[in-house]
Amino acid sequence: MGVGRFAPSPTGQLHLGNLRTAILAWLFAKSTDRQCLLRVEDLDRVRSGAEEQQLSELAAIGLEFDSPLVRQSERLPVYLDAIQSLRDKDLLFECFCTRKDISEAASAPHAAPGAYPGTCRNLSPEERAEKAKERPAALRLRAAVAQFTVHDVIFGQYTGVVDDFVLLRNDGSPAYNLAVVVDDGAYGIDQVVRGDDLLSSAPRQAYLAQLLGMPIPTYAHVPLALNSQGQRLAKRDGAVTLEDLSEKGVNGAQIRAYLLESLGLPGTSLQAALDSFNPDDLPREPWVVEPEFIVDQLMPPASRNR
Ligand code: GLU
């Protein structure tokens, strides 16, 4: 049996857009007879209490995930093993660049947009020793390609940049791209469903999976939630979290129904949604959330508690 996953970062409460992506990850997995794991991406930017809160928010909309619950912070040795295996194949190099060094070099006219400019790729041992006196090194992948093509259920064939991306940061912590690929491989995840802001990371991740001898998953990058100004939805946009909405008297089941209906699916239950789920019918446009209307749509006027 295959495995899908939802992989939130515990930086705060999940908002309606995150919950909608979680529902989609679950529907994609279950409609293809896969398990669906929950992975807590807590290697950095963690807010205390956020993991518990996110787990209870997912439970409140009725989503149940399969075991085990994976926590990246507990898997450091596994990421370091992967680093070692790439180092053994001479696929890594030390990079001493600051963000500023990179943005200056990357703005040069010949640089590929968004790609590491290659500054430290071919340093001599002497140059490396000299730079190491200034600051610790990050480890970057020595990529042998400049682009890579993945297949996405929603976007079709997608070709994007692969550069010498960071795998181990200069504070010794694994980078997001490394941890995602190692975990997806380790747990047999063969279906990745997430927001389409990460589509451009998929070619790098698929290329790395291949180098690590792991199968490349099927991708489905789903539309993001936006606010009425067309910006990515955020907590400050108003009543967009379960907590905000429950203060106004809206419960988890009503929110689930609202999210399912926004996907063109029946809102009565997850099972009903699963029975009519077809990826080809999903909305392709971003989902615009107008918090001021949500409470009006969900609550009959007599029971409104503002
Ligand atoms: N943790 C990432 C996020 O919350 C998602 C990573 C992934 O799904 O690959 O944006």
Side-chain angles (χ1 to χ4, degrees):
M1 200 201 308
V3 190
R5 46 53 159 210
F6 178 60
S9 302
T11 53
Q13 294 171 10
L14 296 172
H15 60 52
L16 293 172
N18 308 132
L19 293 169
R20 190 175 187 251
T21 302
I23 288 180
L24 281 169
W26 188 91
L27 288 169
F28 266 98
K30 297 294 160 178
S31 65
T32 51
D33 287 327
R34 287 177 163 91
Q35 294 195 317
C36 191
L37 298 187
L38 185 64
R39 181 167 77 224
V40 181
E41 302 215 320
D42 57 353
L43 286 177
D44 60 0
R45 298 186 302 125
V46 171
R47 231 193 50 207
S48 133
E51 176 189 319
E52 293 72 16
Q53 189 157 31
Q54 293 185 347
L55 296 182
S56 75
E57 288 162 342
L58 293 166
I61 59 163
L63 281 182
E64 285 176 15
F65 292 87
D66 295 290
S67 300
L69 171 73
V70 181
R71 242 181 234 106
Q72 291 191 325
S73 59
E74 295 169 357
R75 295 179 41 76
L76 211 55
V78 186
Y79 308 130
L80 297 180
D81 279 354
I83 287 284
Q84 191 56 47
S85 81
L86 294 165
R87 209 197 272 267
D88 292 345
K89 293 185 201 145
D90 199 22
L91 286 171
L92 302 181
F93 66 89
E94 290 182 315
C95 171
F96 302 90
C97 293
T98 61
R99 266 176 220 276
K100 186 158 169 266
D101 294 336
I102 293 171
S103 66
E104 283 171 6
S107 62
H110 55 273
Y116 175 68
T119 319
C120 294
R121 191 178 225 255
N122 297 313
L123 294 180
S124 66
E126 296 72 33
E127 285 168 323
R128 275 206 300 277
E130 200 50 42
K131 283 185 184 265
K133 291 182 194 155
E134 303 292 317
R135 57 201 314 267
L139 291 180
R140 288 183 182 271
L141 179 69
R142 193 179 287 283
V145 300
Q147 54 183 40
F148 199 77
T149 300
V150 295
H151 181 73
D152 185 281
V153 175
I154 294 175
F155 286 82
Q157 298 287 95
Y158 173 81
T159 301
V161 172
V162 176
D163 62 349
D164 294 338
F165 54 102
V166 172
L167 298 184
L168 194 71
R169 299 191 305 206
N170 76 355
D171 62 2
S173 60
Y176 156 71
N177 280 314
L178 176 77
V180 164
V181 171
V182 168
D183 288 342
D184 286 346
Y187 288 92
I189 286 164
D190 59 354
Q191 180 190 58
V192 168
V193 178
R194 58 188 178 190
D196 64 15
D197 53 329
L198 288 168
L199 178 64
S200 63
S201 298
R204 288 184 178 88
Q205 293 173 5
Y207 175 66
L208 178 59
Q210 201 180 55
L211 292 179
L212 288 168
M214 293 166 171
I216 295 174
T218 301
Y219 294 97
H221 287 89
V222 301
L224 287 184
L226 304 180
N227 67 18
S228 48
Q229 276 90 56
Q231 296 149 339
R232 199 192 286 207
L233 190 69
K235 192 166 149 31
R236 63 174 174 279
D237 288 319
V240 297
T241 63
L242 278 178
E243 187 176 56
D244 298 337
L245 288 163
S246 74
E247 275 167 17
K248 295 184 188 292
V250 181
N251 67 31
Q254 288 169 306
I255 292 166
R256 179 182 64 222
Y258 185 71
L259 295 171
L260 289 171
E261 283 162 17
S262 81
L263 293 164
L265 295 166
T268 40
S269 69
L270 282 170
Q271 187 58 49
L274 188 55
D275 292 342
S276 45
F277 182 69
N278 177 355
D280 295 339
D281 299 338
L282 286 177
R284 302 289 158 127
E285 307 75 42
W287 182 49
V288 180
V289 177
E290 289 173 282
E292 54 281 23
F293 298 127
I294 293 180
V295 177
D296 291 343
Q297 283 172 31
L298 290 177
M299 301 296 288
S303 63
R304 259 177 230 162
N305 158 26
R306 300 191 162 207

